[in-house]
Amino acid sequence: MLKKFLIYVESTELIWAVITDAGDPSYDVAEKVREVSGYSNNILDLGDTEQEEITNIYHILKYCSDNAVDIPYKLAFSYSSSTKWQDKTREFNNRVVLVIINNIEAYLTKVGIDMGLDENTKYNITVNNGQVNLASENATINATQNNGVDIKKIESLVANIVNNIDSIALNEEKQQVEESLEVIQTELTSSKPKKSMINTALTGLKAIKGSAEFGAVVIALIQFVKLIIQ
């Protein structure tokens, strides 16, 4: 299950951008794992800031996965006074794994607010049997046109993406973003929007790699548009 979690984290551009932005771990991860391993009373030092917690926890989990470290028996011992390994593992997940999940959610939500998105837009990462999902909870859509589209909201979301377009390295990809946004705006404001064209444009946007801020505003636009065309 840990491997599935890490594969999702590393393959989801928005989450991966948050982790890479957090930088290198603040200590030698291998040494820290050795200090805590076994029947000791030590627990992991996660860091002093949210950024340190994100990078330290990710690299600890990555090290354990790559080196076949048995977390329940090697790292979770001191996380619960219970004699049951299931309880120790549950507490390890609550006090370590859940910390990185909560920090990433908070970071993405903050980025969205900084970019001018609705303060009620929050990001949620859910884990169920190794399957991970990232989504945003969007505020209520207020229709201002006869086809139910909030034009000002669309314009605001598009502007947020344009303002972060410089984080994209390739000029061809910047052009693809601009063309996708033009299609989305044109179709959504038409009397008979073509869902196939909108979906193609959204797919094009999702394929572009940019900063964490760029990824956050793209997801906000995608979630908003899908509520309209569903």
Short mmCIF file of all heavy atoms in Angstrom, two decimals, residues 2 33-42 64 68-80 82-90 92-93:
data_model
loop_
_atom_site.label_atom_id
_atom_site.label_comp_id
_atom_site.label_asym_id
_atom_site.label_seq_id
_atom_site.Cartn_x
_atom_site.Cartn_y
_atom_site.Cartn_z
N LEU A 2 2.01 1.23 0.72
CA LEU A 2 2.91 2.38 0.74
C LEU A 2 3.43 2.69 -0.66
O LEU A 2 3.48 3.85 -1.08
CB LEU A 2 4.08 2.12 1.69
CG LEU A 2 5.17 3.19 1.71
CD1 LEU A 2 4.60 4.55 2.11
CD2 LEU A 2 6.28 2.78 2.68
N VAL A 33 16.10 6.99 10.32
CA VAL A 33 15.35 5.74 10.36
C VAL A 33 16.07 4.72 11.24
O VAL A 33 15.44 4.01 12.03
CB VAL A 33 15.15 5.18 8.94
CG1 VAL A 33 14.59 3.75 8.99
CG2 VAL A 33 14.22 6.08 8.14
N ARG A 34 17.39 4.67 11.16
CA ARG A 34 18.16 3.74 12.00
C ARG A 34 18.02 4.08 13.49
O ARG A 34 17.93 3.19 14.33
CB ARG A 34 19.63 3.75 11.59
CG ARG A 34 19.94 2.99 10.32
CD ARG A 34 21.44 2.76 10.14
NE ARG A 34 22.14 4.01 9.86
CZ ARG A 34 22.34 4.48 8.64
NH1 ARG A 34 21.85 3.83 7.59
NH2 ARG A 34 22.99 5.61 8.45
N GLU A 35 17.97 5.37 13.80
CA GLU A 35 17.83 5.80 15.19
C GLU A 35 16.50 5.34 15.80
O GLU A 35 16.44 5.01 17.00
CB GLU A 35 17.92 7.32 15.29
CG GLU A 35 19.31 7.89 15.04
CD GLU A 35 19.29 9.41 15.08
OE1 GLU A 35 18.22 9.99 15.41
OE2 GLU A 35 20.33 10.03 14.78
N VAL A 36 15.46 5.34 15.00
CA VAL A 36 14.13 5.03 15.50
C VAL A 36 13.79 3.54 15.41
O VAL A 36 12.94 3.03 16.14
CB VAL A 36 13.07 5.87 14.72
CG1 VAL A 36 11.66 5.53 15.18
CG2 VAL A 36 13.35 7.35 14.89
N SER A 37 14.49 2.83 14.54
CA SER A 37 14.16 1.43 14.27
C SER A 37 14.29 0.55 15.51
O SER A 37 15.14 0.78 16.37
CB SER A 37 15.08 0.87 13.18
OG SER A 37 14.80 1.48 11.94
N GLY A 38 13.42 -0.46 15.55
CA GLY A 38 13.51 -1.47 16.60
C GLY A 38 12.72 -1.10 17.84
O GLY A 38 11.86 -0.22 17.84
N TYR A 39 13.04 -1.78 18.92
CA TYR A 39 12.30 -1.60 20.17
C TYR A 39 12.87 -0.43 20.98
O TYR A 39 13.33 -0.59 22.10
CB TYR A 39 12.35 -2.89 20.98
CG TYR A 39 11.73 -4.06 20.28
CD1 TYR A 39 12.52 -4.96 19.56
CD2 TYR A 39 10.35 -4.25 20.28
CE1 TYR A 39 11.94 -6.03 18.89
CE2 TYR A 39 9.76 -5.31 19.61
CZ TYR A 39 10.57 -6.19 18.92
OH TYR A 39 10.00 -7.24 18.26
N SER A 40 12.82 0.74 20.41
CA SER A 40 13.32 1.93 21.09
C SER A 40 12.13 2.79 21.50
O SER A 40 10.99 2.52 21.15
CB SER A 40 14.23 2.74 20.16
OG SER A 40 13.48 3.34 19.13
N ASN A 41 12.42 3.82 22.28
CA ASN A 41 11.36 4.75 22.68
C ASN A 41 11.40 6.02 21.83
O ASN A 41 10.77 7.01 22.19
CB ASN A 41 11.52 5.11 24.17
CG ASN A 41 11.23 3.93 25.07
OD1 ASN A 41 10.30 3.17 24.82
ND2 ASN A 41 12.04 3.76 26.11
N ASN A 42 12.15 5.98 20.74
CA ASN A 42 12.30 7.15 19.88
C ASN A 42 11.17 7.24 18.86
O ASN A 42 10.67 6.22 18.38
CB ASN A 42 13.64 7.10 19.14
CG ASN A 42 14.82 7.11 20.08
OD1 ASN A 42 14.77 7.76 21.12
ND2 ASN A 42 15.88 6.40 19.72
N CYS A 64 11.86 4.00 3.24
CA CYS A 64 11.31 2.74 3.74
C CYS A 64 10.84 1.85 2.59
O CYS A 64 11.05 0.63 2.60
CB CYS A 64 10.17 3.01 4.71
SG CYS A 64 10.68 3.74 6.26
N ALA A 68 12.80 -1.65 1.73
CA ALA A 68 11.99 -2.72 2.33
C ALA A 68 12.00 -2.65 3.85
O ALA A 68 12.09 -3.69 4.55
CB ALA A 68 12.48 -4.08 1.85
N VAL A 69 11.91 -1.44 4.40
CA VAL A 69 11.84 -1.28 5.86
C VAL A 69 10.42 -1.60 6.31
O VAL A 69 9.45 -1.02 5.81
CB VAL A 69 12.21 0.16 6.27
CG1 VAL A 69 12.02 0.34 7.78
CG2 VAL A 69 13.64 0.48 5.87
N ASP A 70 10.28 -2.51 7.23
CA ASP A 70 8.98 -2.92 7.74
C ASP A 70 8.51 -1.89 8.76
O ASP A 70 8.91 -1.94 9.93
CB ASP A 70 9.08 -4.31 8.38
CG ASP A 70 7.71 -4.91 8.65
OD1 ASP A 70 6.78 -4.14 8.94
OD2 ASP A 70 7.58 -6.15 8.59
N ILE A 71 7.67 -0.97 8.35
CA ILE A 71 7.27 0.14 9.22
C ILE A 71 6.58 -0.33 10.50
O ILE A 71 6.93 0.15 11.59
CB ILE A 71 6.39 1.13 8.45
CG1 ILE A 71 7.25 1.88 7.41
CG2 ILE A 71 5.73 2.13 9.40
CD1 ILE A 71 6.49 2.86 6.56
N PRO A 72 5.62 -1.26 10.45
CA PRO A 72 4.97 -1.68 11.70
C PRO A 72 5.95 -2.21 12.74
O PRO A 72 5.78 -1.95 13.94
CB PRO A 72 4.00 -2.78 11.23
CG PRO A 72 3.70 -2.42 9.82
CD PRO A 72 4.99 -1.87 9.27
N TYR A 73 6.97 -2.95 12.31
CA TYR A 73 7.89 -3.56 13.27
C TYR A 73 9.14 -2.73 13.51
O TYR A 73 9.82 -2.90 14.53
CB TYR A 73 8.28 -4.95 12.78
CG TYR A 73 7.14 -5.94 12.83
CD1 TYR A 73 6.34 -6.14 11.70
CD2 TYR A 73 6.83 -6.63 13.99
CE1 TYR A 73 5.27 -7.01 11.73
CE2 TYR A 73 5.76 -7.50 14.03
CZ TYR A 73 4.98 -7.69 12.91
OH TYR A 73 3.92 -8.55 12.95
N LYS A 74 9.47 -1.83 12.59
CA LYS A 74 10.71 -1.07 12.71
C LYS A 74 10.50 0.35 13.22
O LYS A 74 11.31 0.87 14.00
CB LYS A 74 11.42 -1.01 11.34
CG LYS A 74 11.97 -2.35 10.86
CD LYS A 74 13.13 -2.82 11.71
CE LYS A 74 13.75 -4.08 11.14
NZ LYS A 74 14.89 -4.55 11.97
N LEU A 75 9.44 1.02 12.77
CA LEU A 75 9.28 2.43 13.10
C LEU A 75 8.09 2.73 14.01
O LEU A 75 8.09 3.75 14.70
CB LEU A 75 9.13 3.26 11.82
CG LEU A 75 10.30 3.27 10.85
CD1 LEU A 75 10.02 4.24 9.70
CD2 LEU A 75 11.59 3.65 11.54
N ALA A 76 7.08 1.88 14.03
CA ALA A 76 5.83 2.21 14.71
C ALA A 76 5.80 1.82 16.18
O ALA A 76 4.84 2.14 16.88
CB ALA A 76 4.66 1.54 13.98
N PHE A 77 6.84 1.18 16.68
CA PHE A 77 6.82 0.62 18.03
C PHE A 77 6.48 1.66 19.10
O PHE A 77 5.68 1.41 20.00
CB PHE A 77 8.17 -0.03 18.36
CG PHE A 77 8.21 -0.68 19.71
CD1 PHE A 77 7.67 -1.94 19.90
CD2 PHE A 77 8.76 -0.01 20.80
CE1 PHE A 77 7.69 -2.54 21.15
CE2 PHE A 77 8.80 -0.61 22.05
CZ PHE A 77 8.26 -1.87 22.23
N SER A 78 7.09 2.83 19.02
CA SER A 78 6.94 3.83 20.09
C SER A 78 5.71 4.73 19.91
O SER A 78 5.48 5.62 20.74
CB SER A 78 8.19 4.71 20.16
OG SER A 78 9.32 3.94 20.47
N TYR A 79 4.93 4.49 18.88
CA TYR A 79 3.80 5.39 18.63
C TYR A 79 2.53 5.01 19.39
O TYR A 79 1.55 5.73 19.34
CB TYR A 79 3.52 5.46 17.13
CG TYR A 79 4.52 6.35 16.43
CD1 TYR A 79 5.75 5.86 16.00
CD2 TYR A 79 4.26 7.70 16.24
CE1 TYR A 79 6.69 6.68 15.39
CE2 TYR A 79 5.18 8.54 15.62
CZ TYR A 79 6.40 8.01 15.21
OH TYR A 79 7.33 8.83 14.61
N SER A 80 2.56 3.88 20.07
CA SER A 80 1.41 3.48 20.88
C SER A 80 1.89 2.54 21.99
O SER A 80 2.81 1.75 21.78
CB SER A 80 0.36 2.77 20.02
OG SER A 80 -0.67 2.23 20.82
N SER A 82 0.00 0.33 23.16
CA SER A 82 -0.73 -0.91 22.95
C SER A 82 0.24 -2.03 22.55
O SER A 82 1.28 -1.79 21.94
CB SER A 82 -1.77 -0.73 21.84
OG SER A 82 -2.36 -1.96 21.49
N THR A 83 -0.11 -3.24 22.90
CA THR A 83 0.71 -4.40 22.52
C THR A 83 0.33 -4.92 21.13
O THR A 83 0.97 -5.84 20.62
CB THR A 83 0.53 -5.54 23.53
OG1 THR A 83 -0.86 -5.89 23.62
CG2 THR A 83 1.03 -5.11 24.92
N LYS A 84 -0.69 -4.31 20.52
CA LYS A 84 -1.13 -4.75 19.19
C LYS A 84 -0.43 -3.94 18.11
O LYS A 84 -0.42 -2.71 18.15
CB LYS A 84 -2.65 -4.60 19.06
CG LYS A 84 -3.44 -5.47 20.02
CD LYS A 84 -4.93 -5.27 19.82
CE LYS A 84 -5.73 -6.15 20.78
NZ LYS A 84 -7.19 -5.94 20.59
N TRP A 85 0.14 -4.65 17.15
CA TRP A 85 0.85 -3.97 16.07
C TRP A 85 -0.08 -3.14 15.22
O TRP A 85 0.32 -2.10 14.67
CB TRP A 85 1.60 -5.00 15.21
CG TRP A 85 2.74 -5.63 15.94
CD1 TRP A 85 2.81 -6.90 16.43
CD2 TRP A 85 3.98 -5.00 16.29
NE1 TRP A 85 4.00 -7.10 17.07
CE2 TRP A 85 4.76 -5.96 17.00
CE3 TRP A 85 4.51 -3.72 16.09
CZ2 TRP A 85 6.02 -5.68 17.48
CZ3 TRP A 85 5.77 -3.44 16.58
CH2 TRP A 85 6.51 -4.41 17.27
N GLN A 86 -1.35 -3.56 15.11
CA GLN A 86 -2.30 -2.78 14.33
C GLN A 86 -2.50 -1.39 14.94
O GLN A 86 -2.62 -0.40 14.23
CB GLN A 86 -3.67 -3.50 14.26
CG GLN A 86 -3.61 -4.83 13.54
CD GLN A 86 -3.43 -5.98 14.52
OE1 GLN A 86 -2.70 -5.85 15.51
NE2 GLN A 86 -4.10 -7.09 14.25
N ASP A 87 -2.53 -1.35 16.30
CA ASP A 87 -2.70 -0.06 16.98
C ASP A 87 -1.47 0.82 16.79
O ASP A 87 -1.58 2.03 16.59
CB ASP A 87 -2.95 -0.28 18.47
CG ASP A 87 -4.27 -0.98 18.74
OD1 ASP A 87 -5.16 -0.91 17.87
OD2 ASP A 87 -4.41 -1.60 19.81
N LYS A 88 -0.30 0.21 16.85
CA LYS A 88 0.93 0.97 16.66
C LYS A 88 1.00 1.55 15.24
O LYS A 88 1.38 2.70 15.03
CB LYS A 88 2.14 0.07 16.92
CG LYS A 88 2.28 -0.39 18.38
CD LYS A 88 3.50 -1.26 18.55
CE LYS A 88 3.62 -1.78 19.98
NZ LYS A 88 3.81 -0.69 20.96
N THR A 89 0.60 0.72 14.27
CA THR A 89 0.61 1.17 12.88
C THR A 89 -0.39 2.29 12.66
O THR A 89 -0.11 3.27 11.96
CB THR A 89 0.29 -0.01 11.94
OG1 THR A 89 1.26 -1.05 12.15
CG2 THR A 89 0.33 0.43 10.48
N ARG A 90 -1.58 2.15 13.27
CA ARG A 90 -2.61 3.18 13.13
C ARG A 90 -2.11 4.52 13.68
O ARG A 90 -2.30 5.58 13.06
CB ARG A 90 -3.88 2.77 13.86
CG ARG A 90 -5.04 3.75 13.66
CD ARG A 90 -6.28 3.36 14.45
NE ARG A 90 -6.67 2.00 14.14
CZ ARG A 90 -6.58 0.98 15.00
NH1 ARG A 90 -6.09 1.18 16.21
NH2 ARG A 90 -6.96 -0.22 14.65
N PHE A 92 1.01 5.45 14.02
CA PHE A 92 2.07 5.94 13.14
C PHE A 92 1.46 6.67 11.95
O PHE A 92 1.91 7.76 11.58
CB PHE A 92 2.95 4.78 12.66
CG PHE A 92 4.03 5.19 11.70
CD1 PHE A 92 5.26 5.63 12.16
CD2 PHE A 92 3.81 5.15 10.32
CE1 PHE A 92 6.26 6.03 11.27
CE2 PHE A 92 4.80 5.56 9.43
CZ PHE A 92 6.03 5.98 9.91
N ASN A 93 0.44 6.09 11.38
CA ASN A 93 -0.22 6.72 10.23
C ASN A 93 -0.85 8.06 10.63
O ASN A 93 -0.77 9.04 9.88
CB ASN A 93 -1.29 5.79 9.66
CG ASN A 93 -0.69 4.62 8.90
OD1 ASN A 93 0.43 4.70 8.41
ND2 ASN A 93 -1.42 3.52 8.82
#
